Amino acid sequence: MYFREPTIWERYSWQIALITTVILLQAGLISALLHQHRRRKLAEVQARQRMAELAHVNRFSTAGELSASIAHEINQPLGSIRINAETADAILHTPNPDID
């Protein structure tokens, strides 16, 4: 017992424990970074999808505004023409229309 050679663990126990701790910490950090990277990629994909949806809604909104503007521009002269025609019809149906 007195002249026995000390084992590696007995000789370097605190160095082995320190190295093991460092390796476990590195593995934990790598795992956390990989998890964060996956979450970031997923967030980027979702953001791109939301942007595409927003662009789609914006195109439909613009098309709706354009069609409403065109309808207004067409209906206004047509309404004036109809009112003039109805007025002329009412004048022609009077007992003595003034054609001049």
Side-chain angles (χ1 to χ4, degrees):
M1 185 159 180
Y2 291 111
F3 299 106
R4 152 179 97 73
E5 192 73 30
T7 64
I8 292 179
W9 179 254
E10 291 172 341
R11 191 180 298 169
Y12 303 108
S13 62
W14 67 272
Q15 289 96 338
I16 293 172
L18 181 65
I19 290 171
T20 304
T21 304
V22 168
I23 289 173
L24 290 175
L25 281 173
Q26 286 179 344
L29 286 173
I30 290 170
S31 175
L33 287 172
L34 287 175
H35 179 68
Q36 193 72 10
H37 181 70
R38 274 191 228 115
R39 288 183 59 204
R40 183 174 291 132
K41 287 288 187 185
L42 179 63
E44 287 174 0
V45 167
Q46 289 175 346
R48 273 190 242 116
Q49 288 174 343
R50 301 263 190 295
M51 289 293 285
E53 291 171 2
L54 183 61
H56 183 69
V57 169
N58 193 18
R59 283 193 298 270
F60 271 112
S61 173
T62 303
E65 290 174 9
L66 185 61
S67 64
S69 176
I70 291 171
H72 175 71
E73 293 295 325
I74 291 174
N75 285 335
Q76 193 171 8
L78 288 177
S80 297
I81 292 169
R82 192 186 91 220
I83 289 173
N84 286 340
E86 288 173 355
T87 304
D89 186 45
I91 291 172
L92 289 176
H93 280 95
T94 58
N96 292 325
D98 184 16
I99 299 180
D100 290 335

